[in-house]
Amino acid sequence: MRQLVANLLDNVLRHTPPGTRVSVTLSSQDACLLLCVRDDGPGVPEADIPRLFDRFSRSEASRSTDGHGLGLALVAAVARIHGGSASILPAPGFGVEVRLAR
């Protein structure tokens, strides 16, 4: 779980322009815990969203920054190992929601 959170925070630090606001929230809904990391930056192109959790996949907008396209794939894998899931939140900005059973 520590690696999951570290990857989400590293992702937001790498891929958001200076001055971007970031929120990290933890809440409960029904029988789940929801961890959301969201920013108010430019987001990613809609066409890139379906593959963002694939290993070695990167949004075209992030190709000029360091990274190998493993961060979100690892987030999704850790969530699955713990019986949960990860999903991309709708615009504006970019966000990831991790849903875990309590």
Side-chain angles (χ1 to χ4, degrees), residues 1-66:
M1 290 307 298
R2 186 178 307 157
Q3 189 64 54
L4 180 147
V5 173
N7 280 21
L8 287 173
L9 295 177
D10 182 61
N11 197 56
V12 82
L13 291 171
R14 279 180 197 259
H15 301 294
T16 58
T20 301
R21 286 181 291 174
V22 175
S23 68
V24 178
T25 60
L26 181 63
S27 60
S28 63
Q29 182 182 49
D30 302 321
C32 294
L33 292 175
L34 303 176
L35 170 64
C36 297
V37 177
R38 177 175 215 120
D39 66 55
D40 67 350
V44 298
E46 189 81 23
D48 291 347
I49 291 174
R51 59 185 178 77
L52 289 179
F53 289 114
D54 295 344
R55 288 181 295 160
F56 306 111
S57 178
R58 301 184 70 200
S59 171
E60 287 301 319
S62 69
R63 298 235 180 246
S64 62
T65 60
D66 290 340

Side-chain angles (χ1 to χ4, degrees), residues 13-14 16 28 33 36 49 68 74 79 81 84 88-89 97-99 102:
L13 291 171
R14 279 180 197 259
T16 58
S28 63
L33 292 175
C36 297
I49 291 174
H68 296 85
L74 190 70
I81 287 168
I88 304 297
L89 295 169
E97 176 184 85
V98 177
R99 183 177 292 265
R102 283 199 239 177

